[in-house]
Amino acid sequence: MDSSPLTDLVGIISNGVASIESAYKKENVSFPALNEPFSPGPLDNDAALDMTIRTVVAASLQLIATIRPPMESLQEVASGMYMSATLGTVNEAHVANVLGNAGTQGMAVQDISKEVGIESGPLARVLRFLATRHVFREVAPNVFANNRISSSLVKVSSVEEMRKNPASQYDGSPVAAVVGHITDEALKSSPFIPTYLSGGHKDAASPFNMAMNTKASIWEWFEQPENAMRGHRFNTAMKGGGERFPPSTYIEAFDWKSLGNDAVVVDVGGGVGPVTLALHKAFPQLQYIVQDLGPVIGDAKKFWDAEAPTAITSGKVKLQVHSFFDPQKEEKAAVYFMRLVLHDWPQSTSQKIMTTLRKAADPKSKLIVFDMVVPHACAEVPPLPGAVIGPPAPAPLLSNFAAGHFVTMVDIQMLNLVNGMERTLEDFVHLGDHSGWKLESVKPGPLPAFIFSPV
Ligand SMILES: C[S@@+](CC[C@H](N)C(=O)[O-])C[C@H]1O[C@@H](n2cnc3c(N)ncnc32)[C@H](O)[C@@H]1O
């Protein structure tokens, strides 16, 4: 058969599917069925398979974009808010939990309606919209069941417990918490993005501030009593997000053993200190300081009491209230590092944070920034030799694996909620050049490490 963009895409899909099926055959299990509820499988975190799946998804999306009439593609993209709104509706109403008890034969919409308090007519329409997009199944007319995707929304608490304690309804359920955060405060802020970007923002800090009519940052807003559930939900979502990255992300990012015993490592904006915990376990000879704002350091004390109390009592790990906008208290540390901090801030503010660290640094200090990197949607020459973002996608795929790339979604989410940004490699080089640091190397991975030295 002659090659064409369509046959090339189909070829990528069929080769990928063949290697996925053969990997499952080797394990003596079949590939998980979409119609069955999610259950963990032996190949869920297999890195090679993950790459193949990413390639097949990118090719399938590109095949759809190529073959579908443009008007239909535009309609689907333009109406994305209905996906968020319907998913938010079922997540808030605990529909997946209710269906979790119904098994694969499902439940009549009238019975679901009684449990979740949404009229059966509109509820059927919402569930059918989602089932048409493979979230839930319509197993018989107006009878719905969970499938692999919707069952991932099931929260660990019972519906009764969640109704009694709404503030903690997302505890222990990071997937539902992420979906809740995106389909609530992010969805409500998103209509303000066009006005914000075209300058009609009247000095609002972000689209979120316009939507919520507040001058408070989203962190301050989460602390207001009426937003307690949302703040709690956000922390659950972030904890789940952080756990996606294995400890090797930090342990292998840098030659920590090259630092002398008792060398000081400062975790700037460290949250409760999960990265420091991973490093402390691997390199207990080093001296760590976790810095964050007061309420977070309050939570950090509880975290360390539970996870590694002797790290605190022995003085190997110190928890410190410190704003990264104030002059850095810990001068001449061997390493300052920040994980998922700079993406909360625009370039100018991130430069300020890095300049403050530079003023405290010793000529031998290092700055390590753990943050995602945005690949361009075309081939690119890295601005730093060796700084490869990831393996190239096979032609004719977009080099960043198309919409499979989670990071471009997070980039817009950052713009929406805090006027922050995920960065391209050039953005990281620029940050260093404007704050007294030089980007020396990049350790690639799902969460790359950007290693800077003072200039
Ligand atoms: C996305 S979280 C990342 C937390 C932590 N680095 C991690 O990866 O788990 C951003 C952190 O920045 C902290 N933060 C915000 N403003 C700050 C400031 N002015 N000084 C210090 N920390 C701040 C927040 O409290 C939050 O813990």
Side-chain angles (χ1 to χ4, degrees):
M1 205 192 321
D2 284 345
S3 168
S4 76
L6 288 181
T7 56
D8 288 352
L9 290 168
V10 171
I12 292 173
I13 295 168
S14 60
N15 289 339
V17 168
S19 35
I20 293 165
E21 289 198 320
S22 114
Y24 273 81
K25 211 166 173 190
K26 256 193 220 148
E27 291 288 327
N28 248 340
V29 284
S30 20
F31 192 81
L34 179 57
N35 283 348
E36 301 289 325
F38 177 86
S39 69
L43 293 172
D44 286 352
N45 299 314
D46 185 287
L49 208 59
D50 191 57
M51 198 60 218
T52 311
I53 289 174
R54 198 139 75 90
T55 308
V56 171
V57 170
S60 308
L61 290 168
Q62 195 160 324
L63 181 64
I64 294 169
T66 310
I67 211 159
R68 185 160 62 179
M71 178 56 200
E72 273 181 36
S73 292
L74 288 174
Q75 248 167 232
E76 189 74 5
V77 175
S79 61
M81 72 284 198
Y82 300 133
M83 296 202 204
S84 310
T86 51
L87 193 63
T89 303
V90 297
N91 193 38
E92 252 176 54
H94 315 307
V95 173
N97 278 63
V98 169
L99 289 179
N101 303 326
T104 45
Q105 77 277 16
M107 200 169 179
V109 74
Q110 288 79 1
D111 296 327
I112 310 173
S113 160
K114 280 184 210 138
E115 301 264 354
V116 305
I118 299 176
E119 243 184 84
S120 60
L123 181 59
R125 291 158 61 197
V126 162
L127 287 171
R128 190 166 303 114
F129 175 93
L130 289 167
T132 304
R133 287 154 183 81
H134 302 291
V135 184
F136 299 103
R137 288 171 67 206
E138 188 166 13
V139 289
N142 297 310
V143 178
F144 293 91
N146 273 339
N147 68 355
R148 182 167 166 82
I149 299 177
S150 65
S151 66
S152 303
L153 282 179
V154 173
K155 306 179 191 93
V156 290
S157 307
S158 70
V159 174
E160 294 69 39
E161 280 165 352
M162 292 192 276
R163 296 219 167 105
K164 253 192 246 153
N165 296 306
S168 52
Q169 61 187 297
Y170 288 92
D171 285 12
S173 308
V175 175
V178 169
V179 168
H181 169 60
I182 297 176
T183 57
D184 182 8
E185 51 268 22
L187 175 64
K188 287 172 183 151
S189 304
S190 61
F192 292 85
I193 292 176
T195 318
Y196 182 78
L197 290 184
S198 57
H201 51 64
K202 301 198 179 70
D203 297 328
S206 70
F208 163 86
N209 295 90
M210 297 176 76
M212 304 302 173
N213 195 18
T214 179
K215 288 203 179 314
S217 71
I218 193 165
W219 324 114
E220 293 159 343
W221 185 82
F222 280 145
E223 279 171 21
Q224 293 167 6
E226 64 275 25
N227 297 319
M229 181 280 283
R230 291 183 169 107
H232 223 58
R233 177 173 67 190
F234 179 76
N235 291 338
T236 303
M238 288 306 104
K239 192 165 172 286
E243 284 164 3
R244 286 189 317 124
F245 307 115
S248 57
T249 309
Y250 319 110
I251 292 170
E252 290 166 15
F254 179 70
D255 185 6
W256 300 96
K257 284 199 180 126
S258 70
L259 303 176
N261 283 358
D262 287 331
V264 174
V265 175
V266 186
D267 185 353
V268 179
V272 296
V275 180
T276 291
L277 180 63
L279 290 174
H280 167 70
K281 282 185 182 162
F283 309 104
Q285 72 280 12
L286 302 176
Q287 196 74 40
Y288 299 92
I289 298 165
V290 181
Q291 299 181 330
D292 208 296
L293 300 175
V296 181
I297 291 299
D299 286 347
K301 289 190 176 123
K302 291 180 214 145
F303 173 82
W304 285 87
D305 274 351
E307 298 287 337
T310 55
I312 304 292
T313 49
S314 67
K316 278 289 176 193
V317 175
K318 291 196 183 102
L319 307 176
Q320 196 174 69
V321 175
H322 176 77
S323 167
F324 43 56
F325 295 117
D326 293 337
Q328 174 56 243
K329 295 182 195 176
E330 299 301 326
E331 293 189 339
K332 303 186 192 315
V335 175
Y336 299 93
F337 77 83
M338 293 184 270
R339 178 183 78 161
L340 301 176
V341 168
L342 294 184
H343 78 159
D344 287 341
W345 305 95
Q347 281 297 82
S348 55
T349 317
S350 295
Q351 276 165 223
K352 261 188 222 155
I353 296 170
M354 285 177 52
T355 305
T356 305
L357 292 175
R358 176 64 190 90
K359 283 187 185 147
D362 178 85
K364 288 200 200 103
S365 303
K366 297 282 177 202
L367 169 65
I368 307 179
V369 174
F370 296 101
D371 248 323
M372 288 188 286
V373 63
V374 179
H376 292 274
C378 60
E380 56 186 307
V381 178
L384 190 71
V388 178
I389 300 171
L397 298 186
L398 288 185
S399 62
N400 69 3
F401 288 92
H405 243 290
F406 166 75
V407 65
T408 52
M409 180 279 281
V410 183
D411 182 34
I412 301 302
Q413 173 96 338
M414 290 297 117
L415 166 72
N416 189 26
L417 297 178
V418 290
N419 188 25
M421 63 192 287
E422 299 302 335
R423 294 183 161 83
T424 62
L425 276 173
E426 294 89 327
D427 290 330
F428 282 105
V429 171
H430 182 273
L431 266 186
D433 288 349
H434 290 79
S435 60
W437 296 95
K438 181 168 174 41
L439 179 59
E440 278 199 332
S441 61
V442 184
K443 176 95 178 39
L447 188 66
F450 296 86
I451 300 171
F452 293 86
S453 288
V455 281

